[in-house]
Amino acid sequence: MGSLENEPPSAADHGFKGSTRPETFLLVLNAPQPPSLWQELSGSVRGAIFPRGNQPSSLTKWAISVLHGLFPVLHWGRNYNLKSFRSDLMAGLTLASLGIPQSIGYANLAKLDPQYGLYTSFVPPLIYAVMGTSRDIAVGPVAVISLLLSSMAQKVVDPSVDPTAYRKLVITSTFFAGVFQASFGFFRLGFIVDFLSHATIVGFMGGAAIVIGLQQLKGLLGISHFTNNTDVVSVVKAVWVAVHHSWHPDNFLIGCSFLIFILIVRFIGTRKRKLFWLSAITPLLSVIISTLLVFLTRADKHGVKIIQKVKEGLNPSSVKDIQLTGSHVGESAKIGLICAIIALTEAIAVGRSFAAVKGYQLDGNKEMVAMGFMNLAGSMSSCYVATGSFSRTAVNVSAGCKTTVSNIVMAVTVFISLQLLMKLLYYTPVTILASIILSALPGLIDIKEAYNIWKIDKMDFLACFGAFLGVLFGSVEIGLLTAVLISFAKIIIGALRPSVEMLGRIQGTDTFCSMRQYPSAAETPNLMILRIDSPFLCFMNANFVRERIVNWVTEGRNTMKEETKSVIIDMTNVINIDTSGISALEEIYKKLASASVQLAVVNPGWQVIHKMKLARLVEMIGGAWIFLTVGEAVEACLGGAKKEDNCNV
């Protein structure tokens, strides 16, 4: 074979006809310089704001583009009609009948006064209605975020000791959540949300559902003193101690009766789709009936705990409650970041699920921006972190919603309730709120999906199970951290030992495939074709790849009947490389050159070929030994081998 010099052979030396080789040679080596990190970030911001493909040529057009990018309502609102409004009106009213009692219950779960749940069902839905890209999502407080906030915030400030400081901490955390969410959208950082894999969310939701259910035993049993811890051991211990002291069975009787009532009606609603509205209004109906029952029997005088006064009126401003200085800023930012990621994960999963059913596209980055502005506005109007609710979204869709106007109708209904109906909730038993929350929990536990994860990927199931056990026996943060660490361990293990496949030709074709996956693929005489199956050739795996390739070539030369004269490395899957990867390729070239074996590289990624040129590695290997396809590389190597054989003869 011959030539190991740096001077690249000509196209004629390779046996190519015409100009095929020079064209591909230019394609690979003369690619434009890849964009810098700053160009990618600025492009992401422009793409998040401007509609795709729109290049504003004047200040007016630029302003219009920004407005259309930030407010999708300006696009779909032009075609909105009375027929759609009728559907949205009915969906919004149905949504409010479910959302009002749930919001009060979730505020209780977040360790806040009942009105804060209603505030969160008023302002955020209005903002999302004009900025969101989903037609179906119902926005408001949800059980998981309420638990997440209370479990983390009460470790910093005890709500029973200093409720004002606790409220300020929650409001500040909501502000930070909004900032993080909007930033994720503007800078196209949605991959941060993807750190919580599907398996992690399944396990986390299941564990959180059980923890939330156990927390509701306080209201269901009418227990006055209860633990602030969320782990199952602490909660069970608190319940065990409480039931052996003074507790009021009437609370349990009322709560269980209405819980059974809600579940039976919901079961009927799922079996008979036309009666979906009945299951939607059952929580509100339960609140009305139980409140009347307590009022008429004066059960509050006999141990039944009631909500008592709920503050009425419009959301008061909470701008002064946002604490951006002081000792708790770091904790607020941490709580806000975790809540932001969980809230976005839940909302985008819900939105994409229903968008796929209805056949339209959800813009993930605009969703993040919308959620961010929604929570920023909420933090300034006495709301806590809001997101999309799966149960309420399902009701919204079943009720026939057409657009996000249903959220506006729901928000207006909540506003009217805040103005006129709060006094009627005085005798509402606390146990009914616990029943409403408990009735929503079965939808969070997906045993079937957990089993599917077990069947498909055992490491994914380990992350799922880690999140479940961490939430159940530790805390929400421990559960999330455990699952993320397991997921990262899976990625790191894969990165440390990437697959290096030996390729063979499928008979009668110019297709080269893994010989392990396709046993019918045949080796090419005098050639060893290898493929690196890793997106990054970096410090973590460069030595492993180098040793694997050198060992394979050495073993191949000792065991193969025909001597290996060329090694082709297919780098199609390698999209980036660092200095360790460059050094590994350089060592591979030198080892092969010392053994009179020619190295050829196929289709390195854009960043890879750019860095190879900067490191003068292309010059070392020889520009003509960089190919666009494996087929071209094989043809060139075989042509060179034949020419050398003829010379030897």
Side-chain angles (χ1 to χ4, degrees):
M1 161 122 209
S3 168
L4 290 175
E5 290 92 356
N6 293 341
E7 182 69 27
S10 66
D13 290 336
H14 287 158
F16 280 90
K17 297 177 182 179
S19 61
T20 304
R21 174 55 186 153
E23 288 179 4
T24 56
F25 175 87
L26 292 174
L27 280 173
V28 178
L29 294 182
N30 294 344
Q33 185 172 330
S36 65
L37 179 61
W38 169 250
Q39 289 173 321
E40 290 184 345
L41 284 175
S42 59
S44 295
V45 174
R46 286 196 301 270
I49 297 175
F50 297 119
R52 195 172 295 176
N54 187 16
Q55 297 294 329
S57 57
S58 68
L59 183 61
T60 303
K61 290 184 178 180
W62 178 84
I64 292 172
S65 297
V66 171
L67 288 174
H68 275 84
L70 290 176
F71 301 102
V73 66
L74 296 176
H75 176 70
W76 59 261
R78 290 177 296 181
N79 302 317
Y80 196 70
N81 53 43
L82 184 60
K83 183 179 179 182
S84 296
F85 178 70
R86 289 197 195 101
S87 299
D88 288 334
L89 178 63
M90 292 305 299
L93 292 173
T94 306
L95 200 56
S97 68
L98 173 64
I100 289 172
Q102 277 192 348
S103 298
I104 295 172
Y106 293 152
N108 185 47
L109 182 61
K111 302 289 193 298
L112 294 168
D113 293 333
Q115 64 268 18
Y116 288 96
L118 295 172
Y119 294 159
T120 308
S121 291
F122 173 48
V123 173
L126 292 176
I127 304 297
Y128 182 83
V130 297
M131 297 189 70
T133 60
S134 172
R135 305 170 194 168
D136 308 302
I137 285 182
V139 169
V142 297
V144 172
I145 299 300
S146 301
L147 171 71
L148 197 60
L149 267 174
S150 64
S151 65
M152 292 189 292
Q154 67 187 5
K155 292 179 181 177
V156 182
V157 178
D158 191 335
S160 60
V161 175
D162 193 347
T164 302
Y166 176 82
R167 186 187 71 249
K168 289 181 178 180
L169 180 66
V170 170
I171 295 296
T172 307
S173 299
T174 302
F175 174 81
F176 278 114
V179 170
F180 285 123
Q181 289 173 331
S183 301
F184 295 162
F186 277 126
F187 293 103
R188 302 285 180 103
L189 300 178
F191 65 88
I192 295 176
V193 177
D194 295 331
F195 283 161
L196 298 179
S197 65
H198 171 66
T200 298
I201 293 299
V202 170
F204 171 75
M205 290 292 188
I210 294 176
V211 168
I212 292 168
L214 292 172
Q215 287 282 326
Q216 297 317 299
L217 292 176
K218 176 184 177 182
L220 200 65
L221 298 173
I223 300 172
S224 300
H225 302 288
F226 204 67
T227 179
N228 285 332
N229 296 328
T230 58
D231 63 284
V232 64
V233 175
S234 298
V235 175
V236 169
K237 183 179 178 181
V239 172
W240 178 260
V241 171
V243 296
H244 283 78
H245 293 82
S246 59
W247 65 288
H248 303 282
D250 290 347
N251 291 281
F252 184 72
L253 180 63
I254 294 171
C256 283
S257 300
F258 280 99
L259 175 60
I260 294 169
F261 170 62
I262 293 170
L263 292 176
I264 290 174
V265 174
R266 180 172 297 168
F267 177 77
I268 295 171
T270 55
R271 289 301 180 92
K272 297 184 178 181
R273 302 294 296 174
K274 292 182 179 180
L275 297 177
F276 75 91
W277 57 270
L278 194 59
S279 60
I281 68 168
T282 301
L284 183 59
L285 194 61
S286 300
V287 169
I288 295 170
I289 295 173
S290 62
T291 303
L292 283 173
L293 185 65
V294 172
F295 173 71
L296 294 174
T297 61
R298 297 313 305 264
D300 58 307
K301 301 292 186 182
H302 304 284
V304 173
K305 294 187 175 295
I306 57 175
I307 293 178
Q308 297 182 356
K309 186 178 180 180
V310 179
K311 188 176 179 181
E312 58 188 2
L314 190 62
N315 298 33
S317 173
S318 55
V319 174
K320 293 182 179 179
D321 290 340
I322 300 174
Q323 306 290 312
L324 299 181
T325 58
S327 58
H328 298 324
V329 175
E331 291 293 335
S332 299
K334 184 189 81 170
I335 296 169
L337 176 60
I338 295 174
C339 288
I341 293 174
I342 296 293
L344 284 177
T345 303
E346 183 172 359
I348 292 174
V350 170
R352 284 176 178 167
S353 299
F354 288 97
V357 171
K358 289 194 172 183
Y360 67 91
Q361 190 68 31
L362 196 74
D363 190 321
N365 289 301
K366 288 184 180 178
E367 283 295 290
M368 293 180 190
V369 173
M371 292 280 171
F373 276 93
M374 175 182 83
N375 283 312
L376 281 172
S379 69
M380 299 175 190
S381 53
S382 299
C383 305
Y384 68 93
V385 181
T387 188
S389 164
F390 185 85
S391 61
R392 291 199 294 276
T393 301
V395 168
N396 197 29
V397 172
S398 299
C401 74
K402 299 297 181 184
T403 67
T404 51
V405 171
S406 61
N407 275 281
I408 297 176
V409 173
M410 179 196 70
V412 171
T413 307
V414 170
F415 169 71
I416 294 171
S417 301
L418 278 166
Q419 293 292 99
L420 305 175
L421 305 178
M422 290 302 97
K423 291 180 181 178
L424 301 179
L425 295 175
Y426 185 91
Y427 289 100
T428 301
V430 174
T431 185
I432 200 66
L433 302 179
S435 299
I436 291 169
I437 294 174
L438 285 168
S439 69
L441 297 182
L444 298 177
I445 303 174
D446 197 341
I447 297 175
K448 183 179 179 181
E449 185 59 26
Y451 177 67
N452 286 336
I453 293 170
W454 165 259
K455 287 196 302 182
I456 296 169
D457 192 319
K458 299 299 187 290
M459 279 295 288
D460 257 7
F461 180 79
L462 189 60
C464 174
F465 198 55
F468 177 79
L469 291 181
V471 172
L472 206 58
F473 292 100
S475 65
V476 172
E477 306 100 291
I478 291 173
L480 289 174
L481 183 61
T482 301
V484 170
L485 288 177
I486 293 172
S487 299
F488 269 101
K490 175 185 174 183
I491 295 170
I492 291 170
I493 290 170
L496 286 173
R497 300 182 65 83
S499 173
V500 180
E501 294 291 334
M502 188 176 292
L503 307 185
R505 189 197 296 264
I506 300 296
Q507 190 172 5
T509 71
D510 198 27
T511 302
F512 294 83
C513 303
S514 167
M515 295 175 65
R516 289 196 302 169
Q517 185 176 357
Y518 300 95
S520 60
E523 294 181 14
T524 304
N526 302 118
L527 287 180
M528 182 174 289
I529 309 170
L530 305 173
R531 185 183 68 212
I532 302 173
D533 287 336
S534 174
F536 301 103
L537 187 58
C538 59
F539 67 95
M540 288 194 298
N541 56 28
N543 284 331
F544 174 81
V545 171
R546 176 183 56 79
E547 291 173 3
R548 175 64 64 90
I549 291 175
V550 171
N551 289 341
W552 272 11
V553 173
T554 304
E555 292 172 3
R557 288 173 68 86
N558 294 334
T559 59
M560 293 175 67
K561 295 179 181 179
E562 299 185 11
E563 185 181 7
T564 301
K565 296 183 177 180
S566 301
V567 171
I568 298 170
I569 300 179
D570 182 3
M571 297 183 68
T572 302
N573 296 328
V574 183
I575 61 174
N576 212 333
I577 194 169
D578 67 0
T579 53
S580 298
I582 294 289
S583 297
L585 287 179
E586 186 176 337
E587 288 184 41
I588 290 170
Y589 170 76
K590 290 178 179 178
K591 289 275 187 184
L592 296 180
S594 66
S596 299
V597 177
Q598 178 62 54
L599 173 65
V601 176
V602 173
N603 196 25
W606 196 3
Q607 293 282 354
V608 177
I609 190 65
H610 176 64
K611 293 179 181 179
M612 286 175 67
K613 287 192 288 186
L614 291 176
R616 305 180 72 86
L617 186 57
V618 170
E619 183 180 333
M620 180 183 293
I621 296 172
W625 292 106
I626 310 292
F627 298 89
L628 187 62
T629 66
V630 175
E632 284 182 6
V634 170
E635 187 177 348
C637 291
L638 290 179
K642 289 177 182 177
K643 186 165 286 194
E644 182 185 274
D645 290 342
N646 291 336
C647 291
N648 291 336
V649 172

